Amino acid sequence: MAALAGGATVAWSSTRSTWTWRPAGAKTDLETDRPLVRQNAPTTDLRLGSSAYLISRRDGRRITLSSSIHRFNPATYATEPWPGARGELQLRKPGTAAWTTFKHVTADSRGEATESFDLAARYDYRLLIPDTADTWGSTSSTAAKL
C-alpha cells in the first residue's frame, strides 16, 4: 500500500499486475471497526511492454519467416530478447482483413524463431505475441506479399 498526492492510496497485487486506487480514508477489507461504504476504486493494469519483429524471404516456393521477440526489462530499463516467449505466425490473402494462425513458435535463447515451408500462393504474414499475465502482447508489421 502506498500513499499518493491528495491522500489517495494504491494497493499492488503482483500476481494480477494491477493497481487498485482507493480514495483517502476509504475502508479496506481488513478494517472491521466501521461500516463498509462503497468506494469508486478503479484499477490500472500494469504490464511489461513487448515487441514483435518479422522478416520474410522467398526463394522460389520456399518461404522463410524469421521472427524476433523482445520484452522490456525493468532491471536494465531496456528492451531485451525474450527467450521462451510464444508467438503465432499468421497469414492472410492480400487484400482481405481476416488473419489465420498457421504455426505456433517459441523463441530460442536469443529471442528468435525461424520457420521455413513451401508454398506457391502469395500471402501477407505477421507475428502475433499474445498478452500474458505480466506482459502486453504485440503484433509485428505485415510482411510483404510472399
Side-chain angles (χ1 to χ4, degrees):
M1 187 83 71
L4 303 173
T9 58
V10 64
W12 170 252
S13 168
S14 61
T15 57
R16 300 253 338 160
S17 298
T18 57
W19 290 84
T20 301
W21 305 89
R22 292 189 184 94
K27 179 180 173 179
T28 67
D29 296 338
L30 301 176
E31 296 174 296
T32 58
D33 60 338
R34 50 190 169 147
L36 177 63
V37 176
R38 296 280 176 215
Q39 301 287 332
N40 180 12
T43 59
T44 302
D45 194 348
L46 297 175
R47 301 183 198 194
L48 301 173
S50 70
S51 52
Y53 304 95
L54 184 67
I55 297 172
S56 58
R57 288 185 296 277
R58 178 184 274 274
D59 184 12
R61 293 175 53 100
R62 190 77 172 163
I63 294 173
T64 302
L65 300 177
S66 300
S67 55
S68 181
I69 304 170
H70 291 79
R71 176 170 66 174
F72 179 76
N73 181 343
T76 62
Y77 294 99
T79 302
E80 300 175 352
W82 187 7
R86 304 187 83 141
E88 301 173 13
L89 291 173
Q90 298 183 326
L91 57 76
R92 72 175 179 191
K93 290 183 179 181
T96 64
W99 289 93
T100 302
T101 298
F102 70 96
K103 181 74 175 172
H104 292 271
V105 296
T106 301
D108 63 14
S109 61
R110 297 169 301 165
E112 299 174 357
T114 301
E115 291 294 327
S116 295
F117 50 93
D118 292 331
L119 192 62
R122 303 271 184 200
Y123 290 96
D124 293 331
Y125 298 94
R126 74 178 185 182
L127 172 65
L128 171 77
I129 307 302
D131 292 343
T132 67
D134 65 351
T135 305
W136 289 113
S138 59
T139 305
S140 71
S141 298
T142 302
K145 303 169 187 71
L146 289 181

